[in-house]
Amino acid sequence: MSPSDLFDVTGFGVIVTGGASGLGLAYGEALASHGARVTLIDLDQDALDQHVARLTGEGLEVRGAVADVTDHAALDRAIDGAAEAYGRLDVAFANAGIDPGIGFVGAWAGGQRPRVDEGALELYTDERWNRVIDINLNGIFATARAAARHMRARRFGRIIITTSLAATKVEPAIGAAYMTAKAGARHLMHTIALELAAYGITANAIAPGFFVTNIGGGHAHNPEVQAAIAKDIPMHRVGQPDDIKGLALFLAAPASEYITGQEIIIDGGWGLGVAD
Ligand SMILES: NC(=O)c1ccc[n+]([C@@H]2O[C@H](COP(=O)([O-])OP(=O)(O)OC[C@H]3O[C@@H](n4cnc5c(N)ncnc54)[C@H](O)[C@@H]3O)[C@@H](O)[C@H]2O)c1
């Protein structure tokens, strides 16, 4: 392969779940702007319409499909429809996820992190637990499964799962189901990578730290929250969706062909500890 082809994804067929906002939208933009054909899958029809119109207006090949990742039949239809539209499915970003609500402490950063009863284990409801597992873990499984059906037949594919720094490091400000789902998704990625390596399909994970997206009602847009968290991040700033585009392209492109079963943390050093 010529070095100039390392990041060539021209003509690739791509799907992104949770593609109408935040990190998923950034993945889709990164791939489409490098010549891939991208289907953004999301339950938010309005956001899909808006971003598909914007991106196609920029000359990119982007389409939208409405599906809830907890409705596996609808998700299968959306992924099958993308593969049919492109005649191939090269890359699947299993990304859709939600915030789990409050954990057992009431603040994201700083020395004062009081415990809150509302997030205590004894009061954690089945409903809250199951909803997060259903979207953040079962939805990842169903996305990878639907993608593998297309990829195995062509003996080529890239499955890229969005996990989180929280798959490794417990964040007490967010509910326990989130850490559980993300750690489960990471180990599912290992299993998929082992099973599908012989078919030319790689599976890897992107584990973001703190990124400014619309997750959890958009609390990350609050400048006070950003400033408090940035103090603990060695690079002294929170992440923006643009920061993740290079990694998304790398894991989708020929450049990463011999990398599988890996989770790459992208967090400005947040997981390392506090420096200055
Ligand atoms: N933002 C962060 O700091 C951060 C950190 C670590 C991991 N993550 C992970 O990144 C992924 C993307 O989150 P984001 O921060 O971009 O959030 P976001 O809310 O900006 O985007 C998530 C998108 O997923 C969609 N979605 C939610 N539930 C869905 C469902 N059931 N079916 C289909 N679509 C659904 C939403 O409509 C939204 O468009 C999630 O898996 C999240 O856990 C985010």
Side-chain angles (χ1 to χ4, degrees), residues 18 21 23 42 68-69 95 162-163 178 182 209 211 213-215:
S21 174
L23 304 182
D42 206 289
D68 184 325
V69 298
N95 166 76
T162 307
T163 54
Y178 190 81
K182 293 298 187 182
F211 278 73
T213 70
N214 295 318
I215 200 162

Side-chain angles (χ1 to χ4, degrees), residues 197-245:
Y199 300 94
I201 300 166
T202 65
N204 292 290
I206 294 175
F210 191 97
F211 278 73
V212 179
T213 70
N214 295 318
I215 200 162
H219 62 86
H221 291 281
N222 181 337
E224 286 170 21
V225 172
Q226 292 178 14
I229 289 181
K231 276 191 193 147
D232 285 352
I233 296 178
M235 287 189 178
H236 297 312
R237 68 175 181 87
V238 296
Q240 300 293 336
D242 277 353
D243 290 315
I244 218 156
K245 290 180 173 175

